[in-house]
Amino acid sequence: MSAVLTVDNLRTHFFTKAGVVKAVDDVSFSIERGKILGLVGESGSGKSMTGYSIMGLIDAPGRIVEGRIVLNGQDITSLPMDQWRKLRGNRVAMIFQDPMMTLNPVLRIDTQMIEAVLAHHDISKAAARDRCRAALVQVGIPSPDERLASYPHQFSGGMRQRVAIAIALLNKPDVIIADEPTTALDVTIQGQILFEMQKLCRESGTALIWITHDLSVVAGLADEVAVMYAGKIVENGHVSAVLDKPLHPYTKGLLESVPSRNVKGTPLKQIPGMTPSLLSIGNGCAFRERCGYRSGECEVAPPISHPYPDRGVRCVHPQA
Amino acid sequence: MLAYTIRRLFQSGFVLVVMSLLVFAGVYAIGNPIELLVNPQADEVEKLRATVALGLDKPLYEQYIVFLKGAVTGDLGKSFVFGTPALTLILSKLPATLELAFCALFIAVCLGIPLGLYAGLKPDGVIGRSIMAGSIVGFSLPTFWVGLVLIMFFSVHLGWLPSNGRGETVSVLGLQVSFLTWDGLTHLFMPAFNLALLKLSLLIRLTRAGTREALLQDYVKFARAKGLPAGRVIGVHVLKNIMIPIVTVIGLEFGGLIAFSIITETIFAWPGSGKLLIDSINQLDRPVIVSYLMVIVFVFIVINFVVDMVYSVLDPRVRLGGGAGGGH
Ligand SMILES: Nc1ncnc2c1ncn2[C@@H]1O[C@H](COP(=O)(O)OP(=O)(O)OP(=O)(O)O)[C@@H](O)[C@H]1O
Ligand code: SF4
Ligand SMILES: [Mg+2]
């Protein structure tokens, strides 16, 4: 099966006064129709910026400096801005982390939904409204007509996120990028939304990129996983393979610090040290300051290697 | 909504009474007007007669009660100088002031919001920076000085615009207005711009700050992620949010425009109520001073009320009563 979205050697850099911040630095992955990719990494590792890059939403001082983003066989990185806009929310949609902030507080839900349809389709307002109503039903919102006439503050956090998901689904996109959409919600709602998103994507054939810092979420949800560290993907592969047998010391550390995977009573392990500043990594492996397997070879940035078919790891001493 | 309106009306009435008390006491403290009113050659007997005639011989609280009794029937006393009812005098001058203030507001809003928006969208561009620099200048220059410079340049040097008066007026709904005649407009332009300058600068800064803040919000990014054209993101999503503080400030500042018009009216000899107030203070014409301040307080109350109404239209979160039910 061919990939619906392929990201190739993507580099997105921010040109700040303090120096060049390489927020996304040589990221490659691809995703097929109806599949779910978990993009995992700690805060500041460049997950959101990868998503924004695909959406064409990187603002100054940031810029995509290299790489290709291929959507349905079309390289969109070279598209002029107004054509990229036509894909945004149409072929590729994005959902953000905080549902309290993503809906405009002073506009009614119908305004915010209908405009998303009309931005891409030349149909009547009534037809657009029908589509919005259907999308609300799809994400499990009762009495959609009443809801359409409401303002965001009349919804709970979980409901607002469902509305945001409905908006993302409106134009039946090929890819949805979900940027930690359940982090701000409580656990039961999180579970429901995860389950429903999974179902919706499987049914509609939409590919889903699920951004999270929580490996345990990825375990039950995704097909593939890519682990990001300091702007680079350090490990990727099929979920079960990566979780069973992490190759990269960072992935290993992450897994050992997930509570549910540990034997009761044994203290949780933690990755020592802190995420390095993206300005002070220098040459060499970005993880070296915190890595227990480090050696002299780590002073040169390790390339991606493929110890197994369909697996990639960016480490000179992959664990087995 | 009705209950709210009634409560507001009561509060407003209370504010009016308290203000009248303060104003009355304050004006009483300025000095005895009788020295200015009677002929300097007049003897004590004549002075006493005048004092009694104006009711100035009574103690303050009695004067206040007389004033209050009149006030409830709409009679705020007679001008010591003109002998005509003070309120009538002020109301005859008020349209000129209101016209000036509204025109100034119009200029400030029509220039300030677009300029501020532009400066907020392109804060680092040459034009964006120039707009900001201009607003700082507009902020720091004293009104009277700008007024004099305007007159020097446009009236004296270029001879394009007249420097004083209202020019030709036409009657609209019984009110004399200048802005509908060409001559009136030429008279109106300089004082209105002079009065607007401070508010224009304020609105530019406010709009710019609001725009910059809104642009960082997730809802703007989400609106862009939906693929909306930039015009809609800015014209609807950004603008509708920043209008909330802007409308509030416009409302509050409109009162200030009327108050500041005193300076502008004096410079451009604009025959409005501000000029009347200055003349009345010079002559210690107490009823006119008191009436003027009462009218201003009343205007402020009305403005605040209107602002609250507009505010609740703009911001659904403060909308009183009503609204669809459901989650919270
Ligand atoms: N405008 C900017 N100027 C400079 N650096 C920036 C800018 N925006 C983002 N960055 C940098 O890009 C890096 C990646 O940020 P990103 O938001 O993608 O992280 P993330 O993985 O999504 O983290 P989180 O889990 O906190 O959302 C961060 O280190 C941040 O410092
Ligand atoms: S390359 Fe070296 S420092 Fe980096 S993760 Fe591998 S072993 Fe550790
Ligand atoms: Mg993020």
Side-chain angles (χ1 to χ4, degrees):
Chain A
M1 222 177 153
S2 73
V4 56
L5 174 73
T6 304
V7 174
D8 235 357
N9 304 104
L10 178 70
R11 290 181 204 269
T12 301
H13 295 178
F14 285 83
F15 299 86
T16 67
K17 288 208 179 76
V20 180
V21 178
K22 299 177 177 173
V24 180
D25 200 22
D26 192 11
V27 162
S28 304
F29 60 82
S30 71
I31 180 166
E32 290 170 10
R33 214 152 247 301
K35 296 283 183 191
I36 301 177
L37 168 74
L39 190 57
V40 187
E42 57 196 8
S43 195
S45 55
K47 307 180 298 290
S48 298
M49 292 310 146
T50 304
Y52 292 154
S53 302
I54 297 168
M55 296 293 290
L57 287 179
I58 296 290
D59 293 318
R63 178 156 65 79
I64 296 178
V65 292
E66 209 185 302
R68 293 188 328 140
I69 299 165
V70 182
L71 183 69
N72 289 320
Q74 184 189 23
D75 182 357
I76 59 176
T77 18
S78 51
L79 282 182
M81 259 314 163
D82 69 313
Q83 291 198 36
W84 204 331
R85 172 188 79 71
K86 288 180 185 151
L87 296 173
R88 217 183 276 155
N90 187 14
R91 296 336 314 145
V92 43
M94 191 159 176
I95 309 164
F96 298 145
Q97 175 169 354
D98 189 349
M100 301 315 228
M101 310 297 289
T102 42
L103 297 174
N104 194 323
V106 301
L107 297 176
R108 270 168 37 169
I109 300 298
D110 52 1
T111 313
Q112 302 194 46
M113 291 189 84
I114 291 171
E115 67 179 4
V117 179
L118 295 184
H120 303 290
H121 299 278
D122 199 5
I123 57 173
S124 74
K125 226 171 166 173
R129 175 178 280 272
D130 285 340
R131 199 187 269 207
C132 299
R133 192 182 299 118
L136 287 181
V137 172
Q138 206 180 356
V139 297
I141 290 183
S143 46
D145 281 304
E146 195 182 311
R147 291 322 198 150
L148 277 173
S150 307
Y151 284 92
H153 71 275
Q154 295 166 316
F155 289 72
S156 66
M159 278 292 178
R160 284 192 217 192
Q161 198 60 293
R162 279 170 205 267
V163 172
I165 293 169
I167 290 175
L169 291 170
L170 273 176
N171 296 310
K172 307 198 174 12
D174 301 311
V175 182
I176 293 180
I177 303 167
D179 190 354
E180 310 201 37
T182 56
T183 314
L185 306 176
D186 64 56
V187 185
T188 45
I189 311 256
Q190 176 174 344
Q192 285 170 14
I193 288 186
L194 279 173
F195 175 74
E196 284 162 21
M197 280 300 278
Q198 195 174 25
K199 202 169 121 234
L200 287 169
C201 289
R202 298 260 190 266
E203 282 168 1
S204 59
T206 304
L208 179 62
I209 298 175
W210 193 276
I211 296 176
T212 177
H213 54 256
D214 189 349
L215 261 181
S216 57
V217 165
V218 166
L221 175 78
D223 303 294
E224 301 275 322
V225 61
V227 180
M228 269 191 98
Y229 188 80
K232 292 187 194 306
I233 289 183
V234 294
E235 173 154 20
N236 69 302
H238 197 269
V239 164
S240 55
V242 172
L243 296 191
D244 286 348
K245 214 196 253 181
L247 298 176
H248 196 281
Y250 175 63
T251 319
K252 240 175 137 71
L254 273 185
L255 274 172
E256 280 164 0
S257 59
V258 172
S260 59
R261 299 180 66 92
N262 284 268
V263 185
K264 230 185 185 157
T266 56
L268 277 182
K269 288 198 185 163
Q270 277 191 340
I271 303 173
M274 299 241 298
T275 321
S277 154
L278 289 179
L279 286 169
S280 62
I281 294 172
N283 297 321
C285 172
F287 191 56
R288 64 188 188 281
E289 298 297 331
R290 304 167 74 184
C291 181
Y293 306 92
R294 140 185 213 186
S295 71
E297 291 161 80
C298 307
E299 298 305 319
V300 181
I304 278 247
S305 62
H306 303 277
Y308 301 95
D310 296 330
R311 294 225 26 202
V313 59
R314 202 184 273 278
C315 173
V316 289
H317 305 300
Q319 308 300 301
Chain B
M1 193 67 215
L2 184 67
Y4 173 77
T5 312
I6 291 171
R7 200 164 63 236
R8 278 297 296 263
L9 283 176
F10 268 104
Q11 282 171 1
S12 307
F14 180 72
V15 170
L16 267 179
V17 173
V18 172
M19 270 307 294
S20 71
L21 204 66
L22 291 176
V23 166
F24 211 78
V27 171
Y28 188 83
I30 297 179
N32 191 347
I34 212 71
E35 305 293 340
L36 290 165
L37 288 172
V38 297
N39 187 335
Q41 264 97 54
D43 56 11
E44 285 305 313
V45 181
E46 202 167 328
K47 271 188 193 169
L48 196 66
R49 208 169 44 76
T51 307
V52 174
L54 295 174
L56 294 174
D57 55 331
K58 302 204 183 76
L60 178 61
Y61 73 90
E62 263 183 52
Q63 290 185 36
Y64 182 65
I65 288 170
V66 171
F67 166 78
L68 267 193
K69 273 187 188 151
V72 290
T73 65
D75 172 15
L76 296 180
K78 279 200 170 92
S79 162
F80 293 164
V81 179
F82 300 98
T84 51
L87 192 59
T88 317
L89 203 57
I90 287 163
L91 291 184
S92 71
K93 299 285 185 183
L94 201 59
T97 299
L98 287 178
E99 181 179 21
L100 187 60
F102 270 116
C103 284
L105 188 69
F106 183 79
I107 293 174
V109 168
C110 290
L111 286 180
I113 293 179
L115 288 177
L117 199 61
Y118 187 92
L121 292 173
K122 299 222 167 23
D124 297 320
V126 177
I127 301 179
R129 282 171 193 272
S130 312
I131 292 173
M132 274 319 277
S135 87
I136 291 172
V137 173
F139 226 64
S140 20
L141 296 179
T143 305
F144 73 91
W145 186 80
V146 175
L148 293 177
V149 169
L150 285 174
I151 291 177
M152 284 300 290
F153 194 69
F154 288 104
S155 304
V156 179
H157 185 68
L158 292 173
W160 288 355
L161 295 170
S163 67
N164 61 59
R166 279 187 90 177
E168 191 185 334
T169 60
V170 287
S171 174
V172 175
L173 300 171
L175 296 175
Q176 295 297 316
V177 294
S178 300
F179 76 95
L180 290 176
T181 68
W182 177 247
D183 183 52
L185 265 184
T186 57
H187 280 83
L188 185 57
F189 181 76
M190 272 202 296
F193 182 78
N194 183 224
L195 188 57
L197 193 59
L198 215 62
K199 307 304 167 197
L200 172 63
S201 307
L202 180 72
L203 275 183
I204 288 176
R205 304 180 71 90
L206 195 71
T207 311
R208 183 186 113 110
T211 307
R212 295 201 62 183
E213 202 193 305
L215 286 180
L216 297 176
Q217 301 296 314
D218 273 0
Y219 62 76
V220 170
K221 200 139 206 163
F222 192 59
R224 292 168 66 200
K226 289 194 284 193
L228 302 183
R232 182 157 177 105
V233 175
I234 292 166
V236 176
H237 286 264
V238 171
L239 206 57
K240 193 129 194 239
N241 272 281
I242 60 175
M243 278 320 277
I244 295 170
I246 289 177
V247 163
T248 312
V249 170
I250 287 175
L252 296 176
E253 295 297 324
F254 184 67
L257 276 179
I258 294 177
F260 265 101
S261 71
I262 295 171
I263 300 172
T264 301
E265 284 179 12
T266 310
I267 298 171
F268 291 92
W270 186 264
S273 54
K275 196 166 170 300
L276 174 69
L277 177 72
I278 295 292
D279 295 343
S280 303
I281 290 175
N282 283 336
Q283 292 165 314
L284 288 180
D285 195 348
R286 277 189 202 168
V288 178
I289 301 174
V290 173
S291 306
Y292 174 86
L293 291 172
M294 296 307 293
V295 168
I296 293 299
V297 171
F298 182 76
V299 170
F300 264 82
I301 288 173
V302 171
I303 292 170
N304 276 338
F305 192 70
V306 172
V307 168
D308 275 0
M309 294 298 118
V310 177
Y311 197 88
S312 71
V313 169
L314 282 177
D315 190 348
R317 286 163 296 189
V318 301
R319 206 159 295 172
L320 306 143
H328 50 89

